[in-house]
Amino acid sequence: ICQGYADAFDMLTSMLGMNCTQICGKGGGEPHNWNMIELDGNWYHVDCTWGAAYGGVDNTCTKAYLFCSDGQIGRTHTWDREAYPDAADDSQFYYAKYDLYVTDEAELEEKVGAKLRSGEQVDVLVKNLGEKQVKDYVQSLGAQFHTKEHVGEFSLTAWMP
C-alpha cells in the first residue's frame, strides 16, 4: 500500500514539475516508503499512507505527515539520512503553518468547540491534553470525530453530522 501511495505522489508532483523523491525506510519499525518534496529550496517529508490514517471512509485524513522536517517524522520513521536531502525547516508543517495546535482548554474551545458549533470541520493537533478529555468534550457537542496518536500528541478531525 505504501509503495502505491508513494509512487502516485511522486508521479503527480513530477507531472507538476516539482522536485520529489521516494524514501525507502521504516515506519513504526516496519519496511515503509514515503516521499520528500522540495518547496522553495527546502525539503519536506510527506507520508500519504500514514496521512490516510482513518481509512478514508468518510473523506477525512490527518495532516500530521504533511511537510514534516526530519525531526518531526523521525519520531516514527527511520531511513538512511545520508542518502536523502536534509529536511530541517518546520515552517510548512501543516498544523504549525495554520496555527492548528490545541494545547489547553481555552484553545480547545476556540479551535474546536466554536468551529464545530458554526458547522465547520475541525482538523487540529492536540498536545498537553488527555485524549479522553478531548473525546468527551467533542462528544458532548454531538460531533463525530477521529483521533490518531502521534508520539505524545494526537490529531483530531471532527465534524457535525
Side-chain angles (χ1 to χ4, degrees):
I1 293 174
C2 62
Q3 180 73 50
Y5 275 109
D7 285 345
F9 186 83
D10 190 29
M11 180 188 73
L12 292 170
T13 55
S14 294
M15 289 172 64
L16 293 170
M18 301 174 84
N19 199 6
C20 181
T21 189
Q22 195 170 141
I23 294 184
C24 297
K26 291 188 176 188
E30 299 292 324
H32 187 55
N33 290 43
W34 68 96
N35 301 89
M36 289 186 80
I37 188 165
E38 185 179 23
L39 301 173
D40 298 326
N42 293 310
W43 284 90
Y44 302 93
H45 294 266
V46 175
D47 188 338
C48 297
T49 307
W50 282 31
Y54 312 131
V57 175
D58 49 26
N59 297 319
T60 62
C61 64
T62 179
K63 312 290 188 309
Y65 299 96
L66 182 60
F67 306 129
C68 297
S69 66
D70 288 341
Q72 289 165 324
I73 205 157
R75 298 181 311 163
T76 53
H77 293 54
T78 58
W79 66 100
D80 178 2
R81 292 182 183 223
E82 298 294 318
Y84 301 96
D86 289 331
D89 183 49
D90 288 327
S91 68
Q92 297 301 310
F93 181 56
Y94 180 82
Y95 296 107
K97 183 173 182 173
Y98 296 106
D99 189 29
L100 295 172
Y101 283 112
V102 171
T103 60
D104 58 34
E105 290 182 4
E107 287 180 336
L108 183 63
E109 171 54 32
E110 171 194 345
K111 296 178 181 179
V112 176
K115 290 190 177 200
L116 285 172
R117 282 191 288 280
S118 72
E120 293 179 58
Q121 180 173 309
V122 173
D123 187 11
V124 296
L125 194 63
V126 181
K127 298 177 163 189
N128 305 325
L129 292 173
E131 192 168 355
K132 182 179 180 343
Q133 173 188 6
V134 172
K135 285 180 175 181
D136 288 349
Y137 174 73
V138 172
Q139 284 177 325
S140 76
L141 298 173
Q144 295 182 341
F145 63 92
H146 295 292
T147 61
K148 174 71 175 160
E149 184 183 350
H150 302 289
V151 187
E153 55 198 27
F154 61 94
S155 61
L156 167 72
T157 302
W159 63 97
M160 297 306 273

